Amino acid sequence: MERPGPSEVTGSDASGPDPQLAVTMGFTGFGKKARTFDLEAMFEQTRRTAVERSRKTLAREKEEEMNREKELRRQNEDIEPTSSGSNVVRDCSKSSSRDTSSSESGESSGSSDDELIGPPLPLKMMKEPGNHIEEDIVGPLPPPLYEDAEDDDDDDDGDSEEEENPVQKIPDSHEITLKHGTKTVSALGLDPSGARLVTGGYDYDVKFWDFAGMDASFKAFRSLQPCECHQIKSLQYSNTGDMILVVSGSSQAKVIDRDGFEVMECIKGDQYIVDMANTKGHTAMLHTGSWHPKIKGEFMTCSNDATVRTWEVENPRKQRSVFKPRTVQGKKVIPTTCTYSRDGNLIAAACQNGSIQIWDRNLTVHPKFHYKQAHDPGTDTSCVTFSYDGNVLASRGGDDTLKLWDIRQFNKPLFSASGLPTMFPMTDCCFSPDDKLVVTGTSVQRGCGSGKLVFFERRTFQRVYEIDITDASVVRCLWHPKLNQIMVGTGNGLAKVYYDPNKSQRGAKLCVVKTQRKAKQAETLTQDYIITPHALPMFREPRQRSTRKQLEKDRLDPLKSHKPEPPVAGPGRGGRVGTHGGTLSSYIVKNIALDKTDDSNPREAILRHAKAAEDNPYWVSPAYSKTQPKTMFAQVESDDEETKNEPEWKKRKI
């Protein structure tokens, strides 16, 4: 078979595809010539379209610029014209004339490739001689370079003065109240995103609150007791928000997940070992705990066994390291609170002798900073916390003071404020998100005023603001940096959230707008359903179906929809006995108890009815009236007659 020549192929192409060949190959498109594209022509067409659109945009922008200049000129003529204003207008007119001349020259050479594509350049960029703009610019242009920065600063002086006042940033215009219980709310925790709040109290309960899922009823979606009968002392979310550290009055801290399930529990140490560094865990009651701000899964706790221990979630059988606070004489001292620095490199603890000791996280032997009498000895310092810049430490003492310390010069307090009563070993203090305010709460006796949330300015430590919370002590306070909302735990079982609709984000704003949902009766089960998955089929109960249809069926059933009988009032009716019971025996007992007749002499009790029975025989005598013979009784002789009838020998003997 000979191969066809090129003339034959072109002839077949000219005449079109062979239908027989198309049927043989199985599809009709076989043999057609492929479509070709001229890329250079397409690019040229695209470029021309872009140039045309740029011309139209330039013309429109120039027209708007001319209108703005006319308005500006008119306003300057109405107001007092100044030389600077005329110079600005003259410069603008010159630049606009240059723009028009350059655009005209560009339009005359429309076929050239040196035309700009996109919006026009700002005026101040075109005025500068040093700005050499390349000529084939595609995409958005950089922002204009402002030369008059000083003028802008002068204009913003008023705004900056308002911003410098930190009191205006306090979000206290609105509040919501979350009912935790009746006892003190001793722990608060908010996850990093601000979606969930967790509260703990002296009633051993830990409650979870979801702002996005709550409505106006403000009810917790979960409540549990992770530490059984121990008071909750501290709750804190991890830096990733997936775990919660629970510190209670026991010697073992727990870590639970977001839904309340236990992740790990720290081991308890051996209390008979003298050196606490040789035990695997705490041996006495815990005080507080804190997560590491950078390392996932690391946290620390402090306890009455005079140690501060760091832990890892992956290794609950032994602590990571042990820090032992000591007095100047080298004696043990109990730490009452502890915290990490913002970068996680330092560990700070306040002790019962009034000292504050700060260690390097990797050096457990000697503290890096040690101030002996930060607060009065014998008082429990309830809180130490670092500022967001990491240079300042705030301490809330049991001696009713609040102090600020600079860790770079840790030899004396920067500021000190007194007259802040506290009666709880976990009274909080915290910094505002912009580091300009320090916040703490005050305690009051029951019925002796209201607890307050007090704000101090960090630079001067003046008492700039305070909020009356409730008629109980303010124990916990938390200012979330993302939400810009303040959470407060009180001594009467309330958790309050303060927010501002304009300054705050999400959080409480999500749930206050939701109306309270009504409980749907159709969603309740008609009867208890016992789940027995491993029962035999003959004993297995049918699965509970949709409740609405089941309720409609039960409504039609006369037995299931029968109204229960109300309790009987009075002596009883309809065969039912009164209030003393529903049985015959209870009725008889009631009547027997009310019978007060005296049956102490049974003969008299019987004979008292004898006369009435003889006069009016009813029971026995009428029954035997026909068959009973006449009763005859023997005559009883008197004593005189008996003596007369006696024989003589008896009389003589007498």
Side-chain angles (χ1 to χ4, degrees), residues 391-462:
N391 297 326
V392 176
L393 179 73
S395 61
R396 182 70 164 96
D399 53 358
D400 301 342
T401 60
L402 175 66
K403 295 184 179 181
L404 284 187
W405 309 81
D406 190 343
I407 61 173
R408 296 166 295 186
Q409 296 177 353
F410 202 68
N411 50 9
K412 63 178 181 179
L414 293 175
F415 301 102
S416 178
S418 58
L420 303 170
T422 173
M423 296 183 295
F424 292 89
M426 64 278 299
T427 303
D428 249 341
C429 64
C430 64
F431 286 88
S432 62
D434 58 359
D435 257 354
K436 294 182 179 179
L437 295 174
V438 186
V439 190
T440 188
T442 62
S443 301
V444 292
Q445 296 285 349
R446 181 173 296 178
C448 299
S450 59
K452 296 179 180 179
L453 198 64
V454 186
F455 297 80
F456 294 89
E457 190 174 4
R458 176 181 161 180
R459 289 184 304 155
T460 60
F461 221 60
Q462 293 181 353

Side-chain angles (χ1 to χ4, degrees), residues 94 222 541 573 594:
K94 287 179 182 179
R222 183 166 290 119
E541 293 186 13
R573 63 179 184 273
L594 294 176

Side-chain angles (χ1 to χ4, degrees), residues 56 63 160 179 286 362 372 394 470-471 504 540-541 629:
K56 293 179 180 178
E63 187 177 354
S160 62
K179 180 72 174 175
L286 299 175
N362 298 318
K372 292 183 291 185
T470 182
D471 56 351
S504 303
R540 195 175 299 162
E541 293 186 13

Side-chain angles (χ1 to χ4, degrees), residues 266-267 269 276-282 301 308-312 315-323:
C266 298
I267 192 172
M276 287 292 104
N278 294 329
T279 62
K280 296 181 180 180
H282 288 293
T301 54
V308 177
R309 300 175 189 259
T310 60
W311 304 80
E312 292 176 345
N315 186 18
R317 308 304 300 173
K318 189 177 180 181
Q319 75 272 347
R320 179 183 173 274
S321 58
V322 181
F323 300 86

Side-chain angles (χ1 to χ4, degrees), residues 520-581:
K520 296 181 180 179
Q521 298 295 331
E523 292 181 359
T524 58
L525 296 177
T526 56
Q527 60 184 357
D528 293 336
Y529 175 55
I530 301 173
I531 301 173
T532 54
H534 302 295
L536 295 174
M538 60 186 300
F539 299 110
R540 195 175 299 162
E541 293 186 13
R543 186 179 176 184
Q544 195 80 2
R545 299 297 179 186
S546 177
T547 55
R548 186 175 60 83
K549 293 183 179 180
Q550 186 66 28
L551 280 175
E552 292 176 357
K553 288 183 180 180
D554 293 345
R555 188 64 180 166
L556 298 176
D557 190 352
L559 294 177
K560 291 185 178 180
S561 62
H562 176 65
K563 181 182 177 182
E565 294 289 341
V568 179
R573 63 179 184 273
R576 300 180 66 199
V577 186
T579 56
H580 284 274

Side-chain angles (χ1 to χ4, degrees), residues 265-339:
E265 183 179 15
C266 298
I267 192 172
K268 185 176 181 179
D270 189 352
Q271 58 187 352
Y272 297 104
I273 295 178
V274 177
D275 189 2
M276 287 292 104
N278 294 329
T279 62
K280 296 181 180 180
H282 288 293
T283 60
M285 178 186 71
L286 299 175
H287 285 291
T288 187
S290 176
W291 286 100
H292 194 284
K294 303 293 183 183
I295 301 175
K296 180 180 179 182
E298 181 180 330
F299 63 93
M300 71 172 169
T301 54
C302 65
S303 168
N304 265 359
D305 61 3
T307 61
V308 177
R309 300 175 189 259
T310 60
W311 304 80
E312 292 176 345
V313 175
E314 292 79 9
N315 186 18
R317 308 304 300 173
K318 189 177 180 181
Q319 75 272 347
R320 179 183 173 274
S321 58
V322 181
F323 300 86
K324 296 185 289 186
R326 291 288 186 265
T327 62
V328 179
Q329 294 80 18
K331 296 181 180 179
K332 289 183 180 180
V333 62
I334 295 175
T336 57
T337 182
C338 59
T339 187

